[in-house]
Amino acid sequence: PIYDDPVEAGTVEAELLGGLKLISSNDWDYEKARHLLFRAGFGGSPEEIQQLVDMGMYKAVEYVVEYHERPVANLELDIRPQSKGLVYERYLSSEARRELQNRQRRSFRNQISDIRKWWLQRMVESPRPLEEKLTLFWHDHFAVNYRDFNDPYLVYSQNQLFHRYADQYNALLHGIVQDPAMIRYLDNHTNRKGSGNENLGRELQELFSIGEENSANHKKNGYGEVDVREASRALTGYTFDQATGQFRFLGTRYDETKKTVLGKTGAWSGDEVVDIILQHPATANYVTKKLFEFFAYRDSKPETIETLAHVLRSNNYELRPMLKNLFMSAEFYSAEARASHIKSPVELLVGTIKLLGIEEIDYGRIDSACQTAGHALFEPPNVAGW
C-alpha cells in the first residue's frame, strides 16, 4: 500500500524492519527537536530548532539523516604526502641533519594544527552536522595517534575516509584494513609471511568489530587467539607507500596458505576476513551498542540493542535506516536519554559556538582549549580511544 502520511509510512517501515517503537507524531515539539539537533549534530540556534519543529518528526529526521542531499562544507586545505629525502642530505654534517629534522618536525606540527582547525571549522559550518558527528565517532572508534608516526597526511587521509563513508560501516571496516594511518600505527607494514605482526588482526576483532567482551575470555564460544593469529596471517602484505601515502599490497609478503577464521577455512585475504567478521552475529550488536550509547544514553538494554542491530544487519550495515529508526524512537526521547549526555570538549565548544551564533572564531584558540581539556584531535591516548 501507498501511504500519503509520511509519519504513517515511517511507522509501517519501522514495524516491517522490526525496529524500535516510534513516538507519536503528535508528541513532536520544540524540546524533542532540540534534543535531535544536539545529539545528531552539535546543536544550533533557536531558529534552526524551530525549523525542525515545523517540518514535523518524520521530515525532520529525514532531513538530518539524508545529509548527502546537501552540499559538502567547502573548506580548502593543502596537505601533501611526505617528500623523499634528497640525495645531498646524506652528505650533511650531523648538526645540519639535526636542523633539517627539526624543521621537518616544526612543519609537521604546523600541518597537524592546520588539520585540526580545518576540521573544527567543518564541524561548526557544515550543512551536514550528522556527517561531522559520525566522523568524530569513528575517529574515536578507529583511534590513531599521529605522534606515533608523525605523518599528518596519513591522518588527514584517514579523516577523509571517515567523512566519505560516515554512514556505511561495511565500507569503513573494509577501508580501515587498507588505511595507511592504521597500518602504520599498528605496525602492519611489518606483517609478512614468516614474520607476523598481530596488532591489526587483534584490534580488528577486539575493538573495531566483534568486541573484546565477545572473546573466549568472556564467552564460551567467543573468538580466540587462533582467530587473531589467523586473521593476522590474512593481513600479511598489507602495507603502504611512504612517498605517496597510498595503500599497497605486496604479494611477496603475503601468506597464501589456508587460514581458519571464526570457523571458516580458506586462503583468505584481509578483505575476505572482513567479510567473515561482518557475518559474525556479534558484530552488528557491538557496533550498534557503541552508536546507541554515543547518540542516546549509556547502560543500554540488551533488547534495545538487539532490535536496532537487526535493522543494521538487515540493511548490510548501512547506518541510515537504523539511525532514522533510532531518532524517531521512544528510547531516544526517553527520560534516560534526555539531559544525560556528558559532552566531550570538542562537542561542548563546537555546540556553544553554534548555539550562540558566534561568527568571529579563532579556531587556533578553540583547538588549544580542546587540547588543554584532554581532547586533542588526532591524539587519542591509545588504540581504544578516549
Side-chain angles (χ1 to χ4, degrees):
I2 298 175
Y3 298 91
D4 295 326
D5 181 358
V7 176
E8 185 180 5
T11 302
V12 172
E13 180 183 8
E15 291 175 352
L16 290 174
L17 289 171
L20 297 175
K21 181 181 179 181
L22 307 189
I23 63 170
S24 168
S25 59
N26 296 327
D27 293 333
W28 183 246
D29 56 20
Y30 186 91
E31 287 303 315
K32 290 184 177 62
R34 183 184 184 280
H35 180 72
L36 173 65
L37 194 59
F38 273 79
R39 293 296 179 85
F42 301 91
S45 66
E47 292 77 19
E48 290 173 311
I49 296 170
Q50 188 59 49
Q51 287 176 358
L52 293 183
V53 175
D54 295 340
M55 288 180 186
M57 179 185 70
Y58 185 82
K59 288 185 177 179
V61 171
E62 186 85 4
Y63 177 80
V64 168
V65 175
E66 296 293 345
Y67 59 78
H68 292 284
E69 298 177 2
R70 296 190 294 285
V72 179
N74 187 23
L75 302 175
E76 294 184 0
L77 181 66
D78 186 15
I79 302 294
R80 303 180 185 183
Q82 291 187 28
S83 58
K84 286 186 176 181
L86 300 177
V87 175
Y88 81 89
E89 293 177 10
R90 70 182 67 172
Y91 301 107
L92 294 174
S93 66
S94 58
E95 183 179 350
R97 281 199 298 271
R98 279 196 301 272
E99 176 57 30
L100 188 64
Q101 290 168 356
N102 288 336
R103 284 206 305 270
Q104 187 178 51
R105 280 193 287 267
R106 287 194 294 271
S107 173
F108 289 164
R109 284 197 298 270
N110 290 336
Q111 286 183 60
I112 204 71
S113 175
D114 288 342
I115 299 172
R116 283 177 174 145
K117 290 183 288 186
W118 167 83
W119 190 16
L120 286 165
Q121 188 175 358
R122 275 191 66 143
M123 292 185 210
V124 171
E125 297 183 4
S126 175
R128 305 158 76 161
L130 178 58
E131 179 183 46
E132 301 302 328
K133 196 69 173 281
L134 283 167
T135 300
L136 187 63
F137 171 83
W138 297 123
H139 175 50
D140 183 54
H141 182 78
F142 297 113
V144 162
N145 190 321
Y146 95 98
R147 288 186 181 274
D148 278 33
F149 49 87
N150 221 13
D151 190 333
Y153 181 78
L154 297 189
V155 292
Y156 170 70
S157 297
Q158 186 190 70
N159 186 263
Q160 294 291 76
L161 171 73
F162 295 160
H163 274 98
R164 188 178 308 116
Y165 299 115
D167 57 0
Q168 300 176 53
Y169 175 71
N170 186 323
L172 282 177
L173 198 63
H174 275 284
I176 209 66
V177 299
Q178 296 188 13
D179 174 58
M182 186 62 73
I183 288 171
R184 180 62 185 83
Y185 184 54
L186 295 180
D187 298 316
N188 202 74
H189 60 298
T190 68
N191 187 18
R192 63 186 69 193
K193 183 177 181 179
S195 181
N197 184 297
E198 296 180 1
N199 289 350
L200 182 55
R202 180 176 303 281
E203 307 308 353
L204 176 63
Q205 296 171 79
E206 185 172 303
L207 293 176
F208 303 160
S209 60
I210 302 174
E212 201 274 335
E213 61 264 38
N214 295 303
S215 71
N217 294 330
H218 300 276
K219 292 188 176 180
K220 184 178 179 180
N221 297 318
Y223 73 90
E225 289 300 311
V226 171
D227 298 299
V228 169
R229 184 167 59 251
E230 297 288 88
S232 300
R233 289 203 301 121
L235 290 163
T236 50
Y238 278 52
T239 184
F240 70 100
D241 180 54
Q242 184 74 48
T244 63
Q246 301 298 309
F247 170 74
R248 174 178 288 182
F249 174 74
L250 295 179
T252 54
R253 299 184 182 181
Y254 172 63
D255 186 340
E256 71 284 353
T257 60
K258 288 186 177 182
K259 304 101 180 168
T260 300
V261 181
L262 301 175
K264 298 186 178 182
T265 302
W268 310 125
S269 67
D271 288 272
E272 289 170 318
V273 165
V274 169
D275 285 329
I276 292 170
I277 288 172
L278 288 169
Q279 294 167 19
H280 193 282
T283 298
N285 289 59
Y286 175 73
V287 176
T288 297
K289 182 179 179 182
K290 289 196 69 172
L291 284 162
F292 180 87
E293 296 191 349
F294 179 75
F295 285 112
Y297 60 87
R298 294 186 179 276
D299 300 321
S300 54
K301 307 175 189 70
E303 58 270 22
T304 298
I305 301 306
E306 180 58 48
T307 300
L308 271 179
H310 171 72
V311 179
L312 182 64
R313 199 180 294 113
S314 299
N315 286 277
N316 196 30
Y317 291 98
E318 293 278 347
L319 265 61
R320 291 192 300 278
M322 186 199 77
L323 290 177
K324 287 179 185 178
N325 181 234
L326 173 62
F327 294 155
M328 290 189 287
S329 71
E331 287 285 348
F332 184 68
Y333 299 101
S334 66
E336 294 97 325
R338 302 283 286 276
S340 63
H341 178 58
I342 300 174
K343 296 180 181 179
S344 68
V346 168
E347 290 176 280
L348 178 63
L349 289 166
V350 171
T352 300
I353 291 168
K354 292 177 72 68
L355 177 63
L356 299 178
I358 301 171
E359 296 182 354
E360 297 296 325
I361 305 162
D362 183 343
Y363 285 101
R365 295 186 67 179
I366 300 299
D367 177 34
S368 295
C370 290
Q371 293 185 57
T372 301
H375 200 188
L377 295 173
F378 308 109
E379 294 186 48
N382 53 55
V383 71
W386 282 277

